[in-house]
Amino acid sequence: MHGNEEKQTGFEIGVVVSKKEGNESFECVEFLVLEFNNVGLVIERVVGLSEEFIKVAAPLETLGRAAAELQIKKPTYIGMDLQFEWDEVEAFVRQPDGSLFSWCERFCCFTHLLYGIINKTESVVTLMYNNKVINWRPGESLVKKLESEGIVKKVFPLHDETKRKQLMRTWALNWLDMTNQPIDEIYTYFGTKVIATYFAFLGMYTRWMLFPAALALTLQLIDFGSRQLLMLPIFFIFVTLWAVIFFQFWKRKSAALLARWQIGYTVGVDTGFKYSDTERSSLQSHMEHIRKMGTDKIKEKAAFQRDEWSGHLLRFRNDALVILSIICLQLPFELAYAHLYELVSSDIVKFGLTALYIFTIQYLTKIGGKVSVKLIKNEKNKSSEHRADSLVYKVFGLYFMQSYIGVFYHALLHRNFTTLRLVLTQRLIVSQVLENLLENSIPYLKYRLKKYRAVHKKKLENGLSMGKVQVTTRVEKEYMKPSYSQVLVMNLKMVYLMHNITEIRTDALKLLAMLKRPIPRASATIGAWLNIFQFLIVMSICTNSVLLVCLYDQEGKWKIEPGLAAILIIEHVLLLIKFGVSKFVPEEPAWVKANRVKNAAQAQDMCSKQLLRSISGEKKRE
């Protein structure tokens, strides 16, 4: 075993149960703690103001055997992802910090151990809770049963205080490093999909933003006289090339991070958790239907084709519903705002109108997201990641319309570039101020309100009107915190740069100090957002070309004069460069590709040798 191997995890899971008051009978809670101990978990009980908290840790062997039961696949030293076996633990590659399991894998194991406590007897087990009889039926999960009875109120991840404080010091409060972040430590602590990949992208994006921000500031400060109009096409070309090159190099960085974190594009940790209950039951019924048909290849092929096309039609129907809702409901609202903005003459009223508009679309986006979630439940997605991508595409469609329909209205219909610049400036400032205010204040206010209610309730129970009652335990404070819920013109580039620098630190502070520890979710890339970024690059080339045409063709004659012809040529050249760069710059570094090829060769060689031994052994027995 490795010298730096951990013997036991810290207390990483909290289970909230009802608190015993007076002479109440809480046999079921005592029984739950006993069952936790029986499966090998380490328990520490903490009494809070109104609830009791069970902090859960586990020895490494307990987690290892749970991982084997879940058939979790992990990378090995021969380059293959193999099903984990505790007895062969030395064959599996360790995490960057030397631990055997990632946080995502540990969370899956904890979930399996907690919810895997079932009644294996053939009779009903009777438990008591406050003089109420609880019948634990055969094959039923104990934790789920107690959750349905309101005895277990919540199961949630706990922050590791040592690691949390270290990240606060080296990351959230370390303003001197600007965009440098301990990405490996963030990955180890939070997991990949929503946290580590997001901050890796935001850090790289902010560093690269220095180049267009510097050019934008130069063009704003220097008067080029009669050549000022030439600066717009130059800036447009520069920003487009910057976006194309940045996107390609981000894909290289993403591939390097995944290789460093030993994560493939098919993540083994999702084994057993890849499908939701609805998806799994649908898949099982579909496979059962195919098995009943026997060996009839024609019927089997027809069944797969029918299932494939029904899934496509369901997604098409849902996408059509989202598009129709945008056209019928959101488009009139967006056009009304843009029209009112043109009619109003007071800048103060325009600013207030923009604030009201942004506040309204925040809730429209939430409503659209809820509708999209309900729609995708009826889709036949292959996995939870495909389902998440489908949701991202739908919500992005709503957000894209909210962000750009007013811009198109001002630019193409009114051709008022002064108003267009004012609209973009106001919307950027108001949206960033409003979003940061809501994102940072609401979690804190929710925490303070929940804390106040708990303290006030305790005072009423004790008959105290003035006494001092405090929340003193760390686990109760974490329980009260909200859960983690899982963005164009020259003179705005510097604003975006400063916003991104502060966004990194404020988001880090929220994750470490204001919210519960997020539930980890494994993912190989940022999924649908890569395709969306590709779409935005192409759209930026087209829309900026149209804006340049409108700027040079003030009279609206739309004649192919030398200037307009040059813009058309620039657009086509940039589109060619965009697709050319994607072919010229490899999507993964050479060392990543070399390691992947080496691992594949080693795995193939070992499989070939084992297969030859098997064939040779069978021949000798004959």
Side-chain angles (χ1 to χ4, degrees):
M1 305 291 274
H2 289 244
N4 61 346
E5 181 186 345
E6 73 276 22
K7 299 298 182 183
Q8 176 181 308
T9 68
F11 290 102
E12 296 185 299
I13 300 293
V15 181
V16 186
V17 297
S18 299
K19 181 181 177 182
K20 183 177 180 179
E21 300 288 351
N23 296 322
E24 292 179 344
S25 174
F26 269 45
E27 177 190 341
C28 56
V29 176
E30 302 298 332
F31 185 81
L32 177 66
V33 172
L34 179 62
E35 289 296 320
F36 284 170
N37 287 323
N38 289 340
V39 297
L41 296 173
V42 179
I43 300 301
E44 181 180 315
R45 300 175 70 171
V46 178
V47 178
L49 292 181
S50 55
E51 285 91 14
E52 182 179 349
F53 303 90
I54 303 173
K55 297 166 63 177
V56 182
L60 185 63
E61 182 176 353
T62 301
L63 290 181
R65 300 200 181 281
E69 291 177 6
L70 288 171
Q71 300 180 352
I72 287 177
K73 289 186 177 180
K74 289 180 63 63
T76 61
Y77 287 103
I78 63 170
M80 292 181 66
D81 284 0
L82 297 179
Q83 183 176 314
F84 181 80
E85 293 291 342
W86 172 249
D87 296 333
E88 306 295 337
V89 66
E90 291 290 346
F92 295 93
V93 178
R94 296 181 174 270
Q95 302 299 313
D97 64 345
S99 59
L100 179 60
F101 296 108
S102 68
W103 165 229
C104 186
E105 292 167 338
R106 294 199 305 274
F107 182 80
C108 288
C109 292
F110 273 117
T111 303
H112 173 71
L113 291 167
L114 293 174
Y115 287 90
I117 300 173
I118 61 174
N119 184 357
K120 297 180 180 179
T121 66
E122 297 181 356
S123 59
V124 175
V125 176
T126 302
L127 303 172
M128 295 299 296
Y129 167 68
N130 194 19
N131 299 323
K132 178 183 177 181
V133 176
I134 306 294
N135 293 321
W136 185 28
R137 296 180 176 83
E140 188 175 21
S141 169
L142 178 60
V143 175
K144 286 186 177 180
K145 179 64 178 179
L146 296 182
E147 282 180 337
S148 66
E149 297 290 341
I151 301 170
V152 173
K153 297 184 177 181
K154 195 174 187 63
V155 178
F156 65 100
L158 294 175
H159 280 288
D160 184 313
E161 278 303 296
T162 302
K163 295 179 180 178
R164 188 186 73 87
K165 290 178 179 178
Q166 181 182 357
L167 283 174
M168 286 285 289
R169 183 176 61 257
T170 61
W171 178 37
L173 301 178
N174 187 15
W175 289 86
L176 296 178
D177 281 347
M178 300 294 283
T179 62
N180 291 330
Q181 305 172 84
I183 293 297
D184 288 339
E185 287 77 7
I186 296 171
Y187 160 72
T188 301
Y189 189 71
F190 289 112
T192 303
K193 182 175 183 179
V194 197
I195 310 297
T197 307
Y198 164 75
F199 281 105
F201 178 84
L202 188 59
M204 180 176 173
Y205 178 66
T206 305
R207 285 192 296 272
W208 279 61
M209 185 68 77
L210 289 169
F211 301 104
L215 179 60
L217 186 63
T218 301
L219 296 180
Q220 284 293 116
L221 297 177
I222 299 176
D223 184 10
F224 291 91
S226 59
R227 298 182 178 179
Q228 187 68 31
L229 284 178
L230 294 176
M231 296 301 107
L232 287 174
I234 291 173
F235 184 76
F236 159 51
I237 295 170
F238 175 85
V239 171
T240 302
L241 293 176
W242 168 87
V244 170
I245 297 172
F246 162 76
F247 178 67
Q248 202 65 20
F249 275 89
W250 160 249
K251 289 195 285 187
R252 287 174 59 85
K253 183 178 179 64
S254 178
L257 289 174
L258 295 177
R260 197 164 76 212
W261 295 337
Q262 302 149 9
I263 296 177
Y265 283 91
T266 53
V267 184
V269 73
D270 276 348
T271 303
F273 295 90
K274 199 70 174 177
Y275 299 96
S276 65
D277 293 338
T278 305
E279 290 170 336
R280 190 179 292 110
S281 61
S282 175
L283 179 64
Q284 289 173 348
S285 62
H286 175 68
M287 297 306 296
E288 183 67 25
H289 175 66
I290 291 176
R291 280 196 295 268
K292 288 180 180 178
M293 292 188 300
T295 57
D296 192 333
K297 298 296 183 181
I298 297 178
K299 290 184 179 179
E300 182 179 342
K301 179 180 177 181
F304 275 112
Q305 289 180 338
R306 184 166 56 252
D307 186 68
E308 176 189 9
W309 284 105
S310 64
H312 288 317
L313 289 174
L314 280 173
R315 282 189 290 273
F316 177 78
R317 183 203 66 180
N318 293 342
D319 293 341
L321 287 174
V322 172
I323 293 172
L324 286 175
S325 66
I326 291 173
I327 295 174
C328 298
L329 301 176
Q330 189 172 349
L331 185 60
F333 171 77
E334 298 288 341
L335 292 177
Y337 160 74
H339 184 66
L340 285 174
Y341 197 94
E342 287 287 344
L343 295 179
V344 172
S345 57
S346 172
D347 290 340
I348 298 177
V349 176
K350 287 183 177 180
F351 199 85
L353 183 65
T354 301
L356 178 63
Y357 163 78
I358 292 175
F359 186 79
T360 304
I361 64 174
Q362 293 283 338
Y363 286 92
L364 287 178
T365 303
K366 290 183 179 180
I367 294 172
K370 292 179 180 179
V371 173
S372 300
V373 169
K374 291 183 178 180
L375 287 175
I376 64 174
K377 286 182 179 179
N378 299 320
E379 295 180 357
K380 296 181 179 180
N381 293 293
K382 296 178 181 178
S383 67
S384 58
E385 189 168 347
H386 283 82
R387 185 172 65 252
D389 287 348
S390 178
L391 177 62
V392 168
Y393 288 132
K394 291 175 176 59
V395 176
F396 172 77
L398 296 171
Y399 190 81
F400 182 81
M401 290 293 293
Q402 292 168 355
S403 300
Y404 293 105
I405 191 65
V407 175
F408 292 151
Y409 179 85
H410 291 294
L412 302 180
L413 184 61
H414 291 278
R415 294 195 178 192
N416 190 334
F417 287 91
T418 302
T419 303
L420 177 61
R421 177 173 295 186
L422 182 62
V423 168
L424 290 173
T425 305
Q426 288 185 354
R427 288 183 62 169
L428 174 65
I429 295 174
V430 173
S431 64
Q432 297 305 328
V433 171
L434 185 62
E435 287 177 10
N436 279 293
L437 182 64
L438 294 176
E439 287 179 5
N440 296 317
S441 62
I442 289 180
Y444 178 75
L445 292 175
K446 285 182 177 179
Y447 167 71
R448 296 297 300 181
L449 179 61
K450 198 169 184 178
K451 186 177 179 180
Y452 169 78
R453 286 176 175 174
V455 172
H456 183 66
K457 181 181 178 181
K458 188 66 177 178
K459 285 183 177 181
L460 291 178
E461 291 174 354
N462 295 340
L464 299 174
S465 58
M466 299 294 294
K468 190 174 183 180
V469 177
Q470 290 183 330
V471 179
T472 57
T473 60
R474 170 62 59 182
V475 64
E476 187 169 17
K477 291 179 180 179
E478 287 195 38
Y479 170 62
M480 292 179 176
K481 292 176 181 178
S483 299
Y484 176 80
S485 312
Q486 288 168 48
V487 172
L488 224 8
V489 277
M490 294 188 303
N491 60 329
L492 301 182
K493 288 296 178 183
M494 185 60 71
V495 179
Y496 271 118
L497 174 64
M498 298 307 298
H499 169 260
N500 286 346
I501 292 174
T502 58
E503 183 81 2
I504 292 174
R505 307 303 168 188
T506 55
D507 283 353
L509 281 170
K510 282 187 296 184
L511 285 169
L512 294 171
M514 299 173 64
L515 301 173
K516 289 187 179 77
R517 189 177 184 179
I519 294 175
R521 293 179 177 86
S523 176
T525 66
I526 56 174
W529 292 107
L530 292 176
N531 296 328
I532 289 173
F533 206 91
Q534 293 265 34
F535 167 77
L536 289 177
I537 290 174
V538 175
M539 282 294 297
S540 69
I541 294 174
C542 298
T543 54
N544 279 284
S545 297
V546 172
L547 289 175
L548 288 176
V549 169
C550 294
L551 185 65
Y552 281 95
D553 187 28
Q554 295 284 353
E555 299 179 0
K557 295 180 179 179
W558 299 97
K559 293 182 178 180
I560 305 299
E561 297 177 352
L564 300 181
I567 294 172
L568 187 62
I569 294 172
I570 290 173
E571 178 194 27
H572 284 68
V573 169
L574 288 175
L575 288 173
L576 289 174
I577 291 175
K578 187 263 177 217
F579 293 107
V581 169
S582 63
K583 298 297 181 183
F584 178 75
V585 180
E587 293 189 2
E588 59 180 8
W591 67 269
V592 174
K593 186 175 181 180
N595 285 345
R596 183 163 49 79
V597 172
K598 177 184 176 182
N599 291 338
Q602 288 178 344
Q604 184 178 9
D605 183 58
M606 179 164 290
C607 290
S608 299
K609 290 180 179 179
Q610 290 179 350
L611 183 60
L612 288 173
R613 291 193 197 102
S614 177
I615 295 173
S616 177
E618 291 179 359
K619 291 293 184 181
K620 289 179 180 180
R621 285 194 297 270
E622 293 177 358

